[in-house]
């Protein structure tokens, strides 16, 4: 692109004058003589005008020949001189250096360079803007394209998922139909196979039954012969064994009777009895209580109403007991006046209330002592106070104690026959006699039985060592503590149970230190024997408590309790 600048008027007066008067120093046609000679310039002007007015021909042959040059007239010396001066002036003019023209030329050149620079800069900026705009457009187009590609891909993925879901449903439908058809075919095949197999099996069983019947008849004949021979041999051996057992039993009974006769006077003087005798006495007391006063009271509406009213006053009062001397004295007095009011109650109601009082104390021991051992202390003190004041309460309380704990208060193994020598009517009766609770024909677990019995026995041992103002019944005196350990240490069947270990631990925890101060070295020897049974084992290597988890835990507590007693200062 070219840029033009307007030509400014010349500041030179001389130039302006020259341009106005004459061109290149020659006078204008207006100043010349109109009748002057015809010059070459006029000829050139004429030719130029002719050339400007000419037109184009189709070929050179159509171009007319140039007009003949007019014959120039002969010039005079003055004319020739004038022409020469004119030519000299023109030459001089062409060699003249005009500063304005140079300035104007340089100005045009600078303007041209400036215009080219600005044009280049503008083109560069425009190109950069176009490039930036193009890159932005490309980025935008790329983002739009990526978005469109993502949408297309998502759409394709949805189509593919729907296609796969359709294929999956069709496949599952086909598999289900194929499975149904296969199952139907297999069922038909199996049915036919079962029919054939049943037929073959029936035939085989018939053959086997025939063969078995034949072998059975033969074996039966041989077994009968062998059975007769074995029965004869067993009868002979059994008869010999029974005779031997009878002889040994008679010998043991004779020795026992001799020993009992020899010790009868001494045992009567100190009031000692055998464990079996204590269990029979407690069992018979319980039976007489149920068959006598309890049956009478429950059968008489008036007595039963009176009994229930007083019984409902006993149970909550026992539950309010705390380990406080004032509370123990107040509740003991209240219970005494309930059971032994003035005027006194009928004998049947009195003994029924003694049974209810015993049951309330023992139930409270089962529920509270298993959770907190110290709660056994006020229960034992209240029981000890009432045992010394209420007539007949000792026998009933001990009978209820044996009912709730089995033979452990004695201690003794429950025999295979009842107290009257008759066989137990069923195993459930013997289970109840052993102190187990039953629910829906199922007896309680060993852990529950151990915790319940140990809680009740802790109350019993606290009664044995409780300080009282007057002697209690022989079953609740301190010598029973020594007799208890002597009996349980002499029966390996008791020591092999988890209950024995837990009960022994409760006894040692309650009265171990007091027994040491009472019986001294004899008690230490008994503890040594008990410690050996807890560590090494007794009676054929059997350890105290057996191998149950409850027995192992109780055995370890017994060891720790014996060590505590032996390390305590005397």
């Amino acid at each position: 692109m070219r840029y033009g600048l307007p030509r400014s008027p010349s500041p030179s007066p001389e130039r302006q004058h020259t341009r106005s008067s004459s061109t290149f120093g020659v006078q204008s046609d207006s100043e010349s003589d109109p009748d002057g000679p015809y010059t070459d310039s006029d000829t050139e002007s004429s030719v130029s005008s002719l050339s400007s007015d000419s037109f184009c021909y189709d070929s050179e042959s159509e171009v007319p020949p140039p007009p003949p040059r007019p014959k120039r007239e002969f010039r005079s010396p003055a004319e020739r001189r004038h022409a020469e001066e004119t030519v000299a002036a023109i030459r001089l003019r062409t060699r003249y250096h005009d500063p304005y023209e140079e300035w104007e030329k340089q100005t045009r050149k600078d303007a041209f360079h400036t215009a080219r620079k600005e044009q280049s800069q503008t083109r560069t900026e425009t190109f950069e803007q176009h490039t930036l705009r193009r890159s932005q457009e490309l980025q935008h187009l790329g983002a739009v394209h990526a978005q469109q590609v993502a949408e297309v891909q998502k759409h394709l993925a949805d189509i593919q998922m729907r296609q796969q879901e359709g294929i999956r449903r069709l496949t599952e439908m086909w598999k289900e139909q194929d499975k149904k058809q296969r199952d139907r075919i297999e069922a038909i095949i199996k049915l036919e196979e079962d029919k054939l197999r049943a037929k073959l099996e029936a035939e085989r069983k018939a053959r086997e039954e025939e063969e078995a019947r034949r072998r059975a008849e033969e074996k039966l004949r041989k077994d009968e012969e062998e059975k007769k021979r074995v029965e004869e041999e067993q009868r002979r051996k059994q008869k010999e064994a029974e005779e031997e057992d009878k002889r040994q039993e008679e010998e043991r009974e004779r020795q026992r009777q001799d020993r009992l006769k020899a010790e009868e006077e001494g045992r009567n003087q100190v009031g000692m009895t055998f464990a079996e005798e204590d269990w029979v006495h407690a069992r018979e007391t319980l039976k007489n209580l149920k068959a006598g006063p309890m049956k009478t009271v429950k059968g008489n509406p008036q007595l039963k109403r009176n009994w229930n009213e007083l019984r409902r006053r006993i149970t909550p009062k026992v539950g309010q007991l705390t380990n406080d001397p004032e509370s123990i004295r107040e509740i003991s007095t209240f219970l005494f006046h309930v059971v032994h009011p003035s005027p006194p109650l009928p004998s049947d109601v009195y003994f029924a209330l003694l049974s209810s009082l015993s049951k309330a104390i023992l139930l409270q021991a089962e529920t509270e002592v298993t959770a907190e051992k110290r709660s056994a202390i006020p229960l034992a003190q209240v029981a000890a106070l009432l045992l010394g004041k209420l007539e007949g309460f000792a026998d009933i309380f001990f009978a209820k104690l044996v009912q709730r704990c089995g033979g452990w208060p004695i201690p003794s193994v429950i025999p295979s026959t009842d107290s009257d020598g008759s066989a137990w009517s069923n195993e459930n009766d013997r289970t109840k006699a052993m102190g187990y609770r039953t629910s829906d024909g199922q007896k309680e677990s060993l852990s529950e039985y151990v915790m319940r019995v140990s809680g009740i026995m802790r109350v019993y041992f606290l009664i044995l060592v409780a300080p009282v103002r007057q002697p209690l019944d022989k079953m609740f005196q301190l010598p029973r503590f020594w007799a208890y350990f002597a009996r349980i240490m002499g029966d390996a069947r008791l020591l092999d149970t988890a209950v024995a270990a837990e009960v022994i631990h409760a006894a040692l925890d309650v009265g171990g230190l007091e027994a040491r101060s009472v019986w001294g070295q004899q008690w230490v020897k008994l503890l040594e024997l008990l410690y050996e049974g807890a560590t090494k084992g007794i009676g054929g290597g059997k350890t105290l408590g057996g191998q149950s988890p409850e027995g192992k835990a109780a055995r370890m507590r017994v060891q720790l309790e014996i060590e505590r007693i032996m390390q305590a200062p005397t």
Side-chain angles (χ1 to χ4, degrees):
M1 181 180 292
R2 296 184 179 181
Y3 297 90
L5 296 176
R7 185 170 181 179
S8 62
S10 174
S12 175
E14 181 180 357
R15 183 179 179 88
Q16 292 177 356
H17 177 75
T18 305
R19 287 181 178 272
S20 62
S21 61
S22 175
T23 303
F24 302 109
V26 182
Q27 294 180 353
S28 61
D29 294 341
S30 63
E31 295 179 356
S32 61
D33 188 6
D35 296 332
Y38 194 82
T39 61
D40 295 337
S41 61
D42 296 334
T43 306
E44 292 175 0
S45 297
S46 300
V47 174
S48 175
S49 61
L50 291 172
S51 301
S52 60
D53 295 337
S54 62
F55 59 92
C56 296
Y57 295 93
D58 295 335
S59 65
E60 294 182 359
S61 61
E62 295 181 358
V63 178
R69 292 176 63 91
K71 185 180 291 188
R72 299 181 64 182
E73 296 179 358
F74 181 76
R75 295 180 181 181
S76 64
E79 291 176 352
R80 288 196 299 271
R81 190 170 52 253
H82 178 71
E84 289 175 359
E85 289 177 358
T86 299
V87 171
I90 291 170
R91 288 175 179 166
L92 180 62
R93 181 61 181 171
T94 56
R95 293 188 183 98
Y96 177 72
H97 178 72
D98 191 354
Y100 175 77
E101 291 182 355
E102 292 294 331
W103 172 81
E104 186 178 13
K105 183 178 180 181
Q106 185 64 35
T107 301
R108 290 175 181 173
K109 187 183 296 184
D110 293 341
F112 177 74
H113 286 305
T114 302
R116 287 189 65 181
K117 184 176 180 181
E118 291 179 355
Q119 180 188 16
S120 176
Q121 185 176 0
T122 303
R123 291 178 66 184
T124 303
E125 293 177 355
T126 303
F127 179 76
E128 291 177 353
Q129 291 177 0
H130 289 175
T131 304
L132 179 60
R133 190 179 301 110
R134 180 64 177 172
S135 62
Q136 292 176 353
E137 290 178 355
L138 290 175
Q139 291 179 358
H140 177 68
L141 290 176
V144 172
H145 181 264
Q147 183 179 0
Q148 292 176 351
V149 169
E151 292 177 355
V152 171
Q153 289 179 350
K154 182 179 179 182
H155 184 64
L156 291 176
D158 293 341
I159 293 174
Q160 187 177 5
M161 287 181 62
R162 289 196 295 270
Q163 184 179 6
Q164 291 178 355
E165 182 66 19
I167 293 173
R168 185 185 63 79
R169 288 198 300 268
L170 291 175
T171 303
E172 290 180 354
M173 187 183 302
W174 180 83
K175 288 182 178 179
E176 184 176 359
Q177 293 178 355
D178 184 67
K179 183 177 180 298
K180 289 181 180 179
Q181 185 176 3
R182 190 183 304 110
D183 292 343
R184 186 166 56 252
I185 294 172
E186 289 180 354
I188 295 173
I189 295 174
K190 186 176 183 299
L191 181 61
E192 296 297 330
E193 289 179 350
D194 291 342
K195 290 180 180 178
L196 180 60
R197 189 180 299 110
K199 182 179 179 181
L200 297 176
E201 184 70 16
E203 295 176 355
R204 185 184 62 80
K205 284 184 177 180
R207 291 194 302 269
E208 290 181 352
E209 288 176 357
E210 182 65 23
E211 183 68 19
R213 185 180 60 80
R214 185 182 59 81
R215 288 197 301 267
E217 291 177 355
E218 184 178 355
K219 185 175 182 299
L220 181 62
R221 182 178 55 80
K222 293 181 180 180
D223 290 345
E224 288 178 355
E225 296 177 356
E226 182 67 19
K227 184 178 180 180
K228 289 179 180 180
R229 186 184 63 80
V230 171
E231 287 178 354
E232 292 177 358
E233 184 68 20
Q234 287 179 351
R235 281 196 297 269
R236 184 181 62 79
K237 290 182 178 180
Q238 184 177 359
K239 186 177 180 180
E240 293 177 356
E242 289 176 355
E243 292 176 355
E244 181 66 21
D245 293 340
K246 185 177 180 181
R247 185 182 61 78
Q248 293 179 359
E249 184 66 25
E250 291 176 354
E251 181 65 21
R252 285 196 297 270
E253 184 64 22
R254 185 183 60 78
Q255 293 177 0
R256 180 171 175 273
Q257 292 297 332
D258 293 343
R259 187 173 66 254
L260 291 177
K261 288 179 180 180
E263 298 175 354
E264 183 176 3
E265 185 178 355
R267 288 191 301 106
N268 292 334
Q269 291 178 357
V270 299
M272 292 182 59
T273 57
F274 289 103
E276 293 80 1
E277 296 175 351
D278 291 341
W279 181 80
V280 169
H281 177 71
R283 180 73 176 169
E284 290 298 323
T285 302
L286 184 64
K287 286 183 178 182
N288 294 333
L289 179 65
K290 289 183 177 181
M294 295 301 298
K295 185 177 181 180
T296 302
V297 170
K298 291 181 179 180
N300 189 325
Q302 181 62 33
L303 297 178
K304 184 177 180 180
R305 184 165 49 254
N306 190 14
W307 171 63
N308 286 331
E309 181 181 355
L310 296 173
R311 181 166 61 93
R312 282 192 291 268
R313 296 174 61 187
I314 292 174
T315 303
K317 206 65 178 179
V318 174
Q320 298 172 4
L321 186 62
T322 59
N323 192 12
D324 177 60
E326 184 64 26
S327 175
I328 294 172
R329 183 168 54 256
E330 178 184 350
I331 292 177
S332 300
T333 304
F334 176 82
L335 294 176
F336 175 77
H337 289 300
V338 169
V339 179
H340 198 278
S342 181
L345 298 170
S347 61
D348 292 334
V349 178
Y350 174 74
F351 288 115
L353 280 179
L354 291 180
S355 176
S356 300
L357 177 60
S358 303
K359 183 178 180 180
I361 295 174
L362 296 177
L363 285 176
Q364 190 71 15
E366 289 181 359
T367 56
E368 288 194 6
V369 178
T370 54
E372 177 57 48
K373 295 187 294 184
R374 289 178 296 181
S375 60
I377 298 175
L379 283 173
Q381 292 180 358
V382 169
L385 290 174
L386 295 176
L387 286 170
K389 294 181 179 180
L390 296 174
E391 183 181 359
F393 183 50
D395 291 338
I396 294 178
F397 185 78
F398 190 78
K400 299 294 288 186
L401 188 66
V402 172
Q403 181 189 15
R404 309 294 297 187
C405 299
W408 291 106
I410 297 174
S412 173
V413 178
I414 303 300
S416 58
T417 58
D418 203 347
S419 58
D420 56 358
S422 62
W424 299 100
S425 57
N426 52 55
E427 187 63 26
N428 190 31
D429 290 344
R430 188 169 185 269
T431 301
K432 289 183 178 180
M434 294 173 66
Y436 280 96
R437 284 180 175 177
T438 57
S439 177
D440 298 332
Q442 299 292 329
K443 67 178 182 180
E444 61 185 332
S445 63
L446 178 61
S447 59
E448 294 174 345
Y449 180 71
V450 169
M451 295 302 296
R452 189 171 57 82
V453 171
S454 64
I456 296 175
M457 291 302 297
R458 181 177 289 273
V459 175
Y460 176 64
F461 292 132
L462 284 170
I463 294 174
L464 296 182
V465 299
V468 291
R469 296 179 181 180
Q470 56 185 1
L472 303 180
D473 186 83
K474 62 179 182 179
M475 304 300 294
F476 299 96
Q477 294 179 1
L478 183 59
R480 290 289 298 185
F481 195 81
W482 175 272
Y484 190 90
F485 276 88
R487 287 178 178 180
I488 199 170
M489 292 296 293
D491 196 334
R493 295 173 298 175
L494 295 175
L495 293 176
D496 193 34
T497 61
V499 185
E502 191 66 37
V503 170
I504 289 175
H505 169 259
L508 294 176
D509 184 31
V510 170
L513 290 175
E514 186 172 354
R516 180 183 176 185
S517 63
V518 172
W519 290 292
Q521 191 62 30
Q522 295 297 323
W523 179 252
V524 172
K525 291 181 179 180
L526 190 146
L527 292 181
E528 290 177 355
L529 180 62
L530 183 60
Y531 192 83
E532 181 181 357
T535 54
K536 298 179 182 179
I538 54 177
K542 293 183 179 181
T543 54
L544 174 66
Q547 299 301 319
S548 64
E550 295 83 359
K552 292 180 180 179
R555 179 167 63 246
M556 182 58 63
R557 286 193 288 270
V558 169
Q559 296 178 24
L560 295 176
E561 191 63 31
I562 294 175
E563 292 174 358
R564 182 185 70 84
I565 295 172
M566 297 303 297
Q567 292 173 2
T570 56

